[in-house]
Amino acid sequence: MTSVDSKMVIALDLEGVLADILAAWVKEYEKEFRINDVTDWDFTSLRKWNETLEKFLFETDHLWNNNYTKIPPLIANIKKATDRLKPFDIVTSRHTLDGIKLWLDLHNIDYRAIVYIPDKKPVLNYKTFIDDNPYIVNTLKDEQFLWLIDHPYNRSVQEKENIKRISSINEVE
Ligand SMILES: [Mg+2]
């Protein structure tokens, strides 16, 4: 592998950016709510269906570990769409790294490394993040840039000089 200045490498999130984990969760566990009913990051919007963040994490850990092929890509032609972002690392807060690696291989995604970090991604030395987590803006530094993938649960984030909202990675400039 050729050496690349790590500041040029994009920190590319997995769930809600590449992998449609909410669609898989709703389908495989036959949920009664719809994806668009998830209107906040902590799943309080799903209380009336008796869903919690803990339940989401538990059930979707199981999907990543045992049924990763059931997790659909969020966008069509994902190989082509990700190739134009190279070089990038997959930077994720999901700890099921074996299943994640198999999923990335299944879709032929040519990443540099997989980086697991439970929280506060901007402490990592990347200049550009592509993510759907509204809380990432709390620790984003002025010299870092965020492409925020638009979802009902992150609409509270305001665009500014270093935060731009887009509907998919195909809109990254
Ligand atoms: Mg995400």
Side-chain angles (χ1 to χ4, degrees):
M1 186 177 289
T2 52
S3 128
V4 177
D5 181 346
S6 71
K7 285 190 171 165
M8 299 304 294
V9 178
I10 291 175
L12 181 59
D13 182 33
L14 178 67
E15 296 182 9
V17 175
L18 301 182
D20 199 346
I21 194 65
L22 285 179
W25 188 40
V26 166
K27 182 156 185 266
E28 298 308 319
Y29 285 87
E30 300 179 347
K31 302 295 188 186
E32 283 172 12
F33 62 89
R34 303 272 66 93
I35 297 170
N36 283 346
D37 292 321
V38 183
T39 53
D40 73 302
W41 185 254
D42 303 302
F43 293 93
T44 53
S45 47
L46 297 183
R47 234 177 236 159
K48 59 185 162 205
W49 290 279
N50 239 346
E51 303 290 352
T52 60
L53 177 62
E54 291 69 30
K55 203 165 152 195
F56 164 76
L57 291 172
F58 179 81
E59 291 175 344
T60 48
D61 268 0
H62 188 269
L63 282 176
W64 279 115
N65 282 327
N66 304 292
N67 263 323
Y68 67 91
T69 60
K70 301 275 181 70
I71 302 170
L74 197 65
I75 50 169
N77 302 318
I78 193 161
K79 157 112 187 115
K80 201 171 158 206
T82 51
D83 271 349
R84 57 178 286 276
L85 303 175
K86 291 200 292 190
F88 61 86
D89 289 347
I90 300 296
V91 179
T92 181
S93 303
R94 179 71 70 165
H95 65 118
T96 53
L97 298 183
D98 291 343
I100 289 169
K101 186 173 184 310
L102 290 168
W103 189 91
L104 293 166
D105 289 348
L106 174 70
H107 295 288
N108 263 315
I109 295 173
D110 194 10
Y111 58 93
R112 196 186 70 146
I114 303 177
V115 176
Y116 166 71
I117 177 165
D119 198 13
K120 299 190 174 70
K121 290 182 184 179
V123 303
L124 300 171
N125 189 30
Y126 294 96
K127 198 168 174 288
T128 304
F129 292 82
I130 305 175
D131 217 287
D132 64 325
N133 181 343
Y135 292 150
I136 194 172
V137 303
N138 295 342
T139 50
L140 193 74
K141 300 177 194 106
D142 288 345
E143 64 271 24
Q144 293 175 316
F145 190 91
L146 170 65
W147 295 101
L148 182 73
I149 304 298
D150 181 56
H151 287 283
Y153 51 79
N154 64 28
R155 299 262 156 84
S156 61
V157 174
Q158 302 288 319
E159 284 191 299
K160 50 185 227 182
E161 210 168 297
N162 62 333
I163 300 174
K164 191 156 169 22
R165 181 181 293 275
I166 53 177
S167 60
S168 83
I169 59 170
N170 292 324
E171 291 173 27
V172 170
E173 288 157 21

